[in-house]
Amino acid sequence: MLTEERYRIILERLQERGVVKLQELVELLEASESTVRRDLIDLEERQLLKRIHGGAALPSPKMQEPGIEEKTFRNIQQKNAVARLAAAQVVDGESIYIDAGTTTLAMIPFIEAKDVTVVTNGLSHIEGLVSKRIKSYLLGGMMKIHTKAVIGSIALQNMDNFRFDRCFLGTNGVDVEMGYTTPDPEEALIKRRAHQLSASSYVLADSSKLGEVSFAKLLDLNEATLITESLTPSWRKSISQKTNIIEGS
Amino acid sequence: MLTEERYRIILERLQERGVVKLQELVELLEASESTVRRDLIDLEERQLLKRIHGGAALPSPKMQEPGIEEKTFRNIQQKNAVARLAAAQVVDGESIYIDAGTTTLAMIPFIEAKDVTVVTNGLSHIEGLVSKRIKSYLLGGMMKIHTKAVIGSIALQNMDNFRFDRCFLGTNGVDVEMGYTTPDPEEALIKRRAHQLSASSYVLADSSKLGEVSFAKLLDLNEATLITESLTPSWRKSISQKTNIIEGS
DNA sequence: TTCAAAATCATTCAAAATCATTCATCAAAA
DNA sequence: TTTTGATGAATGATTTTGAATGATTTTGAA
């Protein structure tokens, strides 16, 4: 494995976890302890990490994103839990579609599968994807101003260039009767088309979305697998008759 | 195999993976180690990749040194002068194509025409466009990792959805004999196609680009109007025989 | 707290891999 | 024909790597 490749993997892992053990890296990189140790020394000299006894940690309390505005800590926790579950579904070598939206955005750092190809209509998603060196295609079409998502007929047509092993969609509402719903009909069209082009479809929804109903319908419950972080027993009972569920611990 | 073909394959592979091993390329290109090594040296000189022990990696888009590079005040002044001239060409109600790149990016704030529709392949451009409430379409396709530009065959195909009144292209070199040139052949293809789909084509180049020649050719001088901020009389004479010029005061 | 065992670390060295340079060959252009 | 440029092989130089060694730090029990 190339030196730069190791550097990248180390930093990536560090971003995800905050700290890494040296032995963990030895195993992950399939390199000797000496080599990993040398890598850490190099990266520390570049100020990209701080070496600690037994491994390495993020340098200074890093600049967090300035705009975590209205989201509560609890919401972020939930969103990340869902995102992590979703990312774990991706298998090496697959091509997947990732919908625009904050929940799907959160799953990108957790993707560990190798050699995947990602198509997305989310402008914000591209940044994270390229920094993970994931081969990425952006859907062309009209920019929706507020959400930085690509929508419209050209996007739909553009999507026909692709076929996906899996698609991961966001939603604003999950309801037993109404299925999955979202406010913007244009976005709903895009999501629906992604579903049609995918072998498997997943909808990501933290528990705050349960019981909500929005304007435009994406899918019926039975058309996709629901990924959520936790369900009350009564919800689990009523939903599980209609759809597959991937649920956090 | 032709040299240029090898270059193309190397850069392609690099875009896909972020790093390539030298031995990998030897096998892929069916050339000797010496030849591949020479190719890498050439491409590094063109700044299209960074050689590392064991192979090559994408050039790090690190902080530009304010010393030599184009971050000087003078260059920004020039770039803005060119950008302003270009933006002034846009007429109310037109649809235009704006190429990825820093010079074309600079023209967006200066656009005053009303009711224009913009198509671009530059991710960075979208931000400015939507904040000016300009109706914007993004080209779909593969993301080029270090310039945040969309390239590739899908982008080309995607572009066929549009016709433009004008297109504004960036360049890295303007030469009387060689015409307009740029380092990346993939980007050159995109630019060329934009030209073909436009009623009028403009190439933006501050005076530092004059006499420079890069790797891949976009257009001949006579195919587009050159927009630049100032010309020496000798340059004006030699270029004006071949092309239209829009020149700053 | 203090001590000893365990874990982690820094340093060194030799082997392996990779690199730069040189040179001979070949084909196309002059 | 000679010349030019590209190519591949060979050589020795350089860099990277993994293991070994002893030093240092952490851990846990007394």
Side-chain angles (χ1 to χ4, degrees):
Chain A
M1 175 171 321
L2 256 35
T3 308
E4 298 271 331
E5 230 171 338
R6 289 199 311 274
Y7 287 176
R8 188 176 57 76
I9 293 175
I10 291 171
L11 293 175
E12 205 169 90
R13 172 64 69 109
L14 206 51
Q15 284 298 329
E16 287 178 14
R17 316 244 164 139
V19 292
V20 279
K21 288 213 258 295
L22 185 128
Q23 290 305 330
E24 191 181 325
L25 291 174
V26 168
E27 203 173 318
L28 182 67
L29 301 173
E30 294 172 349
S32 74
E33 186 183 309
S34 297
T35 299
V36 175
R37 215 176 277 286
R38 272 186 284 250
D39 287 348
L40 294 184
I41 291 171
D42 285 350
L43 290 172
E44 185 175 40
E45 279 172 1
R46 301 189 200 180
Q47 319 229 350
L48 295 173
L49 52 77
K50 189 179 64 175
R51 238 145 46 97
I52 57 179
H53 197 88
L58 286 173
S60 55
K62 68 163 194 174
M63 310 287 282
Q64 297 290 7
E65 295 120 38
I68 308 183
E69 310 102 0
E70 58 218 317
K71 304 293 183 185
T72 66
F73 179 72
R74 177 171 178 74
N75 264 326
I76 293 177
Q77 291 280 76
Q78 290 178 340
K79 194 161 285 196
N80 276 340
V82 174
R84 197 186 293 264
L85 288 170
Q89 303 303 312
V90 183
V91 175
D92 288 359
E94 288 187 335
S95 62
I96 64 176
Y97 177 81
I98 299 185
D99 187 33
T102 55
T103 308
T104 51
L105 178 61
M107 68 180 280
I108 292 175
F110 298 123
I111 296 175
E112 301 203 345
K114 296 302 167 197
D115 203 24
V116 296
T117 302
V118 173
V119 179
T120 182
N121 69 328
L123 212 57
S124 318
H125 296 44
I126 289 293
E127 191 108 359
L129 287 167
V130 300
S131 79
K132 290 200 62 147
R133 304 258 191 251
I134 293 174
K135 189 173 178 183
S136 307
Y137 287 82
L138 188 60
L139 230 50
M142 190 169 60
M143 287 305 306
K144 184 175 170 185
I145 295 183
H146 308 296
T147 59
K148 287 192 183 173
V150 176
I151 58 171
S153 63
I154 292 191
L156 281 174
Q157 167 198 334
N158 201 213
M159 204 188 277
D160 284 335
N161 285 303
F162 306 103
R163 293 296 182 277
F164 312 114
D165 294 303
R166 304 171 197 283
C167 72
F168 297 89
L169 308 175
T171 188
N172 284 61
V174 181
D175 185 85
V176 177
E177 292 305 319
M178 304 303 292
Y180 302 112
T181 50
T182 197
D184 185 344
E186 289 274 0
E187 287 201 46
L189 276 178
I190 297 274
K191 292 172 200 274
R192 177 147 197 89
R193 178 67 63 97
H195 160 71
Q196 289 165 347
L197 295 171
S198 296
S200 309
S201 300
Y202 303 84
V203 175
L204 283 62
D206 61 62
S207 53
S208 70
K209 310 288 174 58
L210 299 176
E212 295 291 314
V213 176
S214 194
F215 178 51
K217 178 169 175 177
L218 319 180
L219 300 171
D220 280 317
L221 283 191
N222 63 21
E223 291 182 287
T225 301
L226 173 65
I227 302 182
T228 191
E229 91 282 8
S230 72
L231 288 173
T232 64
S234 65
W235 268 104
R236 188 177 305 120
K237 184 178 173 191
S238 57
I239 292 183
S240 63
Q241 296 171 349
K242 295 208 168 191
T243 182
N244 291 328
I245 304 175
I246 295 174
E247 192 184 350
S249 56
Chain B
M1 181 178 307
L2 257 37
T3 308
E4 304 226 341
E5 204 171 355
R6 290 200 309 273
Y7 287 176
R8 191 179 54 75
I9 294 175
I10 292 171
L11 292 174
E12 207 169 85
R13 173 63 69 106
L14 204 53
Q15 280 299 326
E16 287 177 12
R17 315 250 166 132
V19 291
V20 279
K21 289 212 247 297
L22 185 126
Q23 291 305 331
E24 192 180 322
L25 290 174
V26 167
E27 202 174 320
L28 183 67
L29 301 173
E30 293 172 349
S32 74
E33 186 182 309
S34 297
T35 299
V36 176
R37 217 176 275 287
R38 272 185 281 252
D39 287 348
L40 293 185
I41 290 171
D42 284 351
L43 290 171
E44 185 176 39
E45 278 171 3
R46 298 177 204 262
Q47 319 231 353
L48 295 174
L49 52 78
K50 187 181 67 174
R51 236 143 50 95
I52 60 180
H53 196 90
L58 286 172
S60 57
K62 57 171 29 174
M63 305 308 175
Q64 329 281 24
E65 307 300 328
I68 312 170
E69 284 298 342
E70 56 212 342
K71 283 299 176 185
T72 66
F73 180 69
R74 176 172 177 74
N75 261 319
I76 292 179
Q77 292 280 77
Q78 291 177 339
K79 194 161 286 195
N80 276 340
V82 174
R84 197 185 297 264
L85 287 170
Q89 303 303 312
V90 184
V91 174
D92 286 0
E94 288 186 333
S95 62
I96 64 177
Y97 177 81
I98 298 183
D99 188 32
T102 56
T103 307
T104 51
L105 179 60
M107 69 181 279
I108 292 175
F110 298 124
I111 296 176
E112 301 203 342
K114 298 302 170 196
D115 201 24
V116 296
T117 302
V118 173
V119 178
T120 181
N121 70 328
L123 213 56
S124 318
H125 296 44
I126 289 293
E127 193 104 0
L129 288 167
V130 299
S131 78
K132 290 201 64 153
R133 306 258 184 255
I134 294 173
K135 189 172 178 184
S136 307
Y137 286 82
L138 189 58
L139 230 49
M142 188 168 63
M143 285 306 305
K144 183 173 171 185
I145 294 184
H146 69 287
T147 59
K148 288 192 181 171
V150 176
I151 57 170
S153 62
I154 292 192
L156 282 174
Q157 167 197 334
N158 200 214
M159 204 188 276
D160 284 334
N161 284 304
F162 305 104
R163 294 295 182 276
F164 311 114
D165 294 302
R166 305 172 198 282
C167 71
F168 297 90
L169 309 176
T171 188
N172 284 61
V174 180
D175 185 84
V176 177
E177 291 304 320
M178 304 303 291
Y180 301 112
T181 50
T182 196
D184 185 344
E186 289 276 358
E187 286 201 46
L189 276 177
I190 296 274
K191 292 171 200 275
R192 178 148 197 88
R193 178 69 63 99
H195 160 71
Q196 290 165 346
L197 296 171
S198 296
S200 309
S201 300
Y202 303 85
V203 175
L204 283 61
D206 62 62
S207 53
S208 69
K209 311 287 174 58
L210 298 178
E212 295 290 314
V213 175
S214 192
F215 179 50
K217 178 170 175 176
L218 320 179
L219 300 172
D220 280 316
L221 282 190
N222 64 21
E223 291 181 287
T225 301
L226 174 64
I227 302 183
T228 189
E229 91 282 8
S230 73
L231 288 172
T232 64
S234 66
W235 267 104
R236 188 176 304 119
K237 184 179 176 192
S238 57
I239 292 183
S240 63
Q241 296 171 349
K242 295 207 168 191
T243 182
N244 291 328
I245 305 174
I246 295 174
E247 191 183 350
S249 56

